[in-house]
Amino acid sequence: MLYTPAVPRILATYHLACPRKQVEAAARWIAVEQTVEVPDALIDAHIEEAIVGRVESIDTLEDGRFAVAISYDAALAGGQLPQLLSLVFGNVSLGNFVRLERLALPAEFLARFRGPNFGVAGLRELVGVPDRPLLATALKPRGKSVAEFAALAGGFARGGGDLVKDDHNLVDARFEDFDERVRRCQAAVEETNAATGGRCLYLPYVCAPADELDRYVAAVRGHGVRGVLVAPMIAGLDTVRALAERERMLVMSHPTFTGAFQHDRNHGLEPGLLLGLLFRLAGIDVSVFVNSGGRFDFTREECGGIATALRAPLGDLPPAWPCPAGGMQFDRVGEMVAQFGPDTVLLVGGALLTHAPDVTDATRAYLDAVREAG
Amino acid sequence: MLYTPAVPRILATYHLACPRKQVEAAARWIAVEQTVEVPDALIDAHIEEAIVGRVESIDTLEDGRFAVAISYDAALAGGQLPQLLSLVFGNVSLGNFVRLERLALPAEFLARFRGPNFGVAGLRELVGVPDRPLLATALKPRGKSVAEFAALAGGFARGGGDLVKDDHNLVDARFEDFDERVRRCQAAVEETNAATGGRCLYLPYVCAPADELDRYVAAVRGHGVRGVLVAPMIAGLDTVRALAERERMLVMSHPTFTGAFQHDRNHGLEPGLLLGLLFRLAGIDVSVFVNSGGRFDFTREECGGIATALRAPLGDLPPAWPCPAGGMQFDRVGEMVAQFGPDTVLLVGGALLTHAPDVTDATRAYLDAVREAG
């Protein structure tokens, strides 16, 4: 039975690490576990037809695993992101041999999502950079004073940098401390922009108790800030979606706490599916991920897959920005630009801060390298 | 240097699967990655002392891995659950050899959390069952009519069952359908309770777009419902915490989408840490997990660890209920009661529905088995 895109079904392709003689039972197990979760005796003809997932195809992969395509009636996802996660990977996450590799979503489902507020074109307009890759940095390390962070932010803006975000470790116990830091860092960037004619953006990290998130975001807006950094797998993916939809700000995501979904190539979520497709559905404009060859173990292909998922056609959703990060050294700028292309944000944190004694000089040097590579 | 509990530090014990000659560097890497995430050149004496994690001890485990205890100043968690997750496992989740095995939280941090609204004693009072294990079931499979679900719920209540929850697949696209199902299932349970003098509780699954969650919960309350089922790793752990704190309802958690954190014994979160300690911090009264010997691959020890974490002393937080589930057959009731003890909710879904043609008879049979085992 072939998948018919005209029928509004969600198509999930899983890679299964199981013996050949078990693959058909495993495919059926997923189709049942993800939808009705009952013994076969309780599945009547109506439920089989209307609710249970359909095993559309089983193919053998080169590495000996199996690609199993299962389709679900889109109605099972209830038109919402939380239930989509549960439908395609909820219970099977509790197994240990199921990797959700691809997800095709019907137009009717996609139409419920706004996606990135700015995306590639919108952010280019915001920062006034028509064609080159963007340069971002992080305010770090935690432990520096607010004055030092403001000076860093201003210095980066003076050097021509495009996006300066809080390190995701900058989380204060007191709202007042958060508010003060945001106010002063934003002021430093705005003052520098006014002096240079630049359009650098400051993105504070919004990490708050769930019942205080609105207050934090309102404070950010009150200081004239245009965007935020969020951690979708900590705040909740749909909490981020709702925030992006309501606030219409620029939203950059940090991959903290996402790793357990991705570290095992035989189980979990393909990185492009999580940090690309799902984050983009949630309205992420810029998705930070750890690049290959840095401090972590992601492959060049996985990182390329994230970039592809962020920019590939997806209903009417604008394309988003891949943002490779994680121990990016100066001499890799050319390679990264070559791999990811112009519609990329290069996030350089510690490497920028150690590149030159002065952050403005370091920023200029990195920007020169970016321009040269482009 | 030994850990001093008097100092308000968070103590995280990681099990590392790495060669012996790398373990010290790996421990330092975690301590830095989780706090400042910069090259050593940027860590001055103040930041080293105040911010960077401290490697307190490194021990060799019997299986050749290493137990590395790292302490963090509790201030780094900002007194909040989202940042606690990021602090203890955020960036290292992106690696592939780090299992967070234990977490000791200072009293000052714990004091910020209310924990379960009912816990063991409170739920016993609600359902009027002083000492035996509780019996729970799930309304399933999706695809049955609301009338059938209401009949199931009423039949379970009539048989003397304690908790009947929605299957976590019961997610409607329309609020009105959710509202109608909750109204009728609650009415069926209430009518039966009135007739029998029983105190069965119905727990609808609240899974909604983040910006509609309050509306769903208000509807649930409006129907006189006393508790809900939630999926913390989908809704957001702190979203659940805020909901529990505000609504003061009974909160049962479903483990959907939690599995990737637990499936790899060399990476992720120890199950008792996630489904026990962290869920309890978030206010979960009853934590559903898949029992060993069922449809999934969790071990007897891991399941015991979840139960221990839910009931062990934790600041002033009440103990919560372990709720083993996942393909529990009738002939295992005695074994489960023996393993988990009386303060346990036994969740029997499909097995109950197939045990006898009539759900009331099946419920009575299961309850008899529970009483006999206790």
Side-chain angles (χ1 to χ4, degrees):
Chain A
M1 184 161 42
L2 284 175
Y3 175 63
T4 316
V7 179
R9 293 183 74 81
I10 292 167
L11 187 68
T13 304
Y14 303 92
H15 285 185
L16 305 193
C18 69
R20 177 176 297 274
K21 64 178 185 217
Q22 286 170 19
V23 67
E24 289 193 13
R28 171 70 182 175
W29 169 73
I30 296 173
V32 169
E33 187 71 40
Q34 293 301 102
T35 52
V36 291
E37 208 192 329
V38 289
D40 276 342
L42 295 173
I43 302 176
D44 64 21
H46 157 66
I47 289 171
E48 178 72 47
E49 172 63 24
I51 311 291
V52 176
R54 289 185 199 151
V55 179
E56 304 285 358
S57 61
I58 299 179
D59 294 300
T60 307
L61 296 167
E62 278 183 15
D63 62 10
R65 291 184 302 164
F66 300 93
V68 171
I70 295 179
S71 73
Y72 305 100
D73 184 334
L76 298 182
Q80 48 157 290
L81 206 41
Q83 177 58 7
L84 177 69
L85 298 182
S86 199
L87 175 66
V88 298
F89 198 65
N91 268 21
V92 296
S93 81
L94 298 161
N96 56 17
F97 65 101
V98 181
R99 171 93 151 183
L100 178 56
E101 198 70 18
R102 282 194 305 281
L103 199 52
L105 298 167
E108 291 87 337
F109 185 84
L110 286 173
R112 301 180 75 106
F113 296 87
R114 179 178 165 83
N117 287 319
F118 290 88
V120 170
L123 177 54
R124 285 205 176 283
E125 205 165 307
L126 267 186
V127 294
V129 176
D131 45 21
R132 64 163 167 80
L134 303 185
L135 183 65
T137 196
L139 298 180
K140 56 163 74 174
R142 181 165 177 162
K144 281 188 180 288
S145 67
V146 171
E148 287 172 303
F149 286 136
L152 262 181
F156 179 74
R158 185 167 304 278
D162 302 299
L163 302 169
V164 49
K165 72 169 186 73
D166 283 350
D167 185 47
H168 77 292
N169 293 301
L170 299 192
V171 178
D172 304 293
R174 289 175 1 117
F175 168 80
E176 293 71 19
D177 295 333
F178 166 81
D179 190 55
E180 171 73 1
R181 180 164 45 76
V182 173
R183 184 181 67 75
R184 290 178 60 183
C185 291
Q186 173 70 3
V189 170
E190 280 183 355
E191 283 161 24
T192 309
N193 283 344
T196 64
R199 297 201 214 159
C200 182
L201 295 176
Y202 165 57
L203 309 177
Y205 179 43
V206 179
C207 178
D211 32 6
E212 293 185 44
L213 194 59
D214 289 355
R215 180 184 181 208
Y216 278 64
V217 173
V220 164
R221 291 205 77 105
H223 294 305
V225 169
R226 302 293 301 269
V228 290
L229 176 73
V230 296
M233 296 313 278
I234 284 182
L237 188 60
D238 203 58
T239 300
V240 166
R241 193 269 317 151
L243 186 153
E245 236 179 72
R246 189 186 66 221
E247 300 291 339
R248 305 289 165 98
M249 301 177 91
L250 181 78
V251 184
M252 176 188 257
S253 61
H254 193 283
T256 177
F257 210 64
T258 65
F261 287 101
Q262 308 162 63
H263 78 282
D264 178 353
R265 270 108 202 172
N266 286 335
H267 192 67
L269 304 173
E270 190 273 328
L273 185 57
L274 180 60
L275 303 179
L277 173 65
L278 291 172
F279 277 24
R280 187 173 161 201
L281 264 187
I284 298 303
D285 293 287
V286 184
S287 179
V288 177
F289 58 91
V290 292
N291 199 15
S292 59
R295 299 197 306 276
F296 295 94
D297 190 37
F298 287 76
T299 66
R300 187 178 160 87
E301 290 65 35
E302 286 173 323
C303 296
I306 296 171
T308 299
L310 287 163
R311 299 187 294 212
L314 183 68
D316 293 329
L317 279 66
W321 296 79
C323 183
M328 295 299 94
Q329 300 303 317
F330 186 74
D331 56 13
R332 292 193 62 198
V333 168
E335 169 211 324
M336 289 170 66
V337 172
Q339 181 183 1
F340 292 106
D343 294 338
T344 301
V345 178
L346 301 181
L347 174 57
V348 192
L352 185 115
L353 297 175
T354 51
H355 186 72
D358 179 77
V359 68
T360 302
D361 294 340
T363 304
R364 287 186 180 130
Y366 264 93
L367 269 177
D368 285 345
V370 168
R371 288 197 190 92
E372 204 169 304
Chain B
M1 181 164 41
L2 284 174
Y3 176 63
T4 316
V7 178
R9 291 182 75 82
I10 292 167
L11 187 68
T13 304
Y14 303 92
H15 286 185
L16 305 193
C18 68
R20 177 176 299 273
K21 63 176 187 221
Q22 287 169 20
V23 67
E24 291 193 14
R28 171 69 182 176
W29 169 73
I30 295 173
V32 169
E33 187 70 40
Q34 293 301 101
T35 52
V36 291
E37 209 194 325
V38 289
D40 277 342
L42 295 173
I43 302 175
D44 63 24
H46 157 67
I47 289 171
E48 178 72 48
E49 172 63 24
I51 311 290
V52 176
R54 289 185 199 152
V55 179
E56 304 284 359
S57 61
I58 298 178
D59 294 301
T60 308
L61 296 166
E62 279 183 15
D63 64 10
R65 290 184 300 164
F66 300 92
V68 171
I70 295 178
S71 73
Y72 304 100
D73 185 334
L76 298 182
Q80 48 156 289
L81 206 42
Q83 177 59 7
L84 177 68
L85 298 182
S86 199
L87 175 66
V88 297
F89 197 64
N91 268 22
V92 294
S93 81
L94 298 161
N96 56 16
F97 66 101
V98 182
R99 170 94 152 183
L100 178 57
E101 198 71 17
R102 282 194 306 281
L103 199 52
L105 299 167
E108 292 87 337
F109 185 84
L110 287 173
R112 301 182 75 108
F113 296 87
R114 177 179 166 83
N117 287 319
F118 291 87
V120 171
L123 177 54
R124 286 205 176 283
E125 206 166 305
L126 267 187
V127 293
V129 176
D131 44 22
R132 65 164 167 79
L134 304 185
L135 183 66
T137 195
L139 297 180
K140 57 163 73 172
R142 179 163 179 164
K144 281 188 180 289
S145 67
V146 172
E148 287 172 303
F149 285 136
L152 262 182
F156 178 75
R158 186 166 303 276
D162 303 299
L163 301 170
V164 48
K165 71 168 188 72
D166 284 349
D167 184 47
H168 77 292
N169 292 302
L170 300 191
V171 178
D172 304 294
R174 290 176 359 120
F175 168 80
E176 292 72 19
D177 295 333
F178 166 82
D179 190 56
E180 171 72 1
R181 180 163 48 76
V182 173
R183 185 180 67 74
R184 290 178 62 182
C185 291
Q186 172 71 3
V189 170
E190 280 182 356
E191 282 161 25
T192 309
N193 283 345
T196 63
R199 297 203 216 158
C200 182
L201 295 176
Y202 165 57
L203 309 177
Y205 178 42
V206 180
C207 177
D211 32 8
E212 294 185 44
L213 194 59
D214 289 355
R215 181 184 180 207
Y216 278 63
V217 174
V220 164
R221 292 203 79 105
H223 294 304
V225 169
R226 302 292 301 270
V228 289
L229 175 73
V230 296
M233 297 312 277
I234 283 183
L237 188 61
D238 203 58
T239 300
V240 166
R241 194 268 318 148
L243 186 154
E245 235 178 74
R246 189 186 65 220
E247 301 289 339
R248 303 290 165 97
M249 301 177 93
L250 180 78
V251 184
M252 176 187 257
S253 61
H254 193 285
T256 177
F257 210 64
T258 65
F261 286 101
Q262 307 163 64
H263 78 283
D264 179 352
R265 270 107 201 171
N266 286 336
H267 191 69
L269 305 173
E270 191 274 326
L273 184 58
L274 179 60
L275 303 178
L277 174 65
L278 292 172
F279 276 24
R280 188 173 161 201
L281 264 187
I284 299 302
D285 293 286
V286 183
S287 179
V288 177
F289 57 90
V290 292
N291 198 14
S292 58
R295 298 197 307 275
F296 294 95
D297 190 37
F298 287 76
T299 67
R300 189 178 159 86
E301 291 65 37
E302 285 173 324
C303 295
I306 296 171
T308 300
L310 287 163
R311 299 186 295 213
L314 183 68
D316 294 327
L317 279 65
W321 295 78
C323 183
M328 295 298 93
Q329 299 304 314
F330 186 73
D331 57 11
R332 292 193 63 197
V333 169
E335 170 211 325
M336 288 170 66
V337 172
Q339 181 183 1
F340 292 106
D343 294 338
T344 301
V345 177
L346 300 181
L347 174 56
V348 191
L352 185 115
L353 296 176
T354 51
H355 185 71
D358 179 78
V359 69
T360 302
D361 293 340
T363 305
R364 287 187 180 127
Y366 264 93
L367 269 178
D368 286 345
V370 167
R371 289 197 189 91
E372 205 170 303

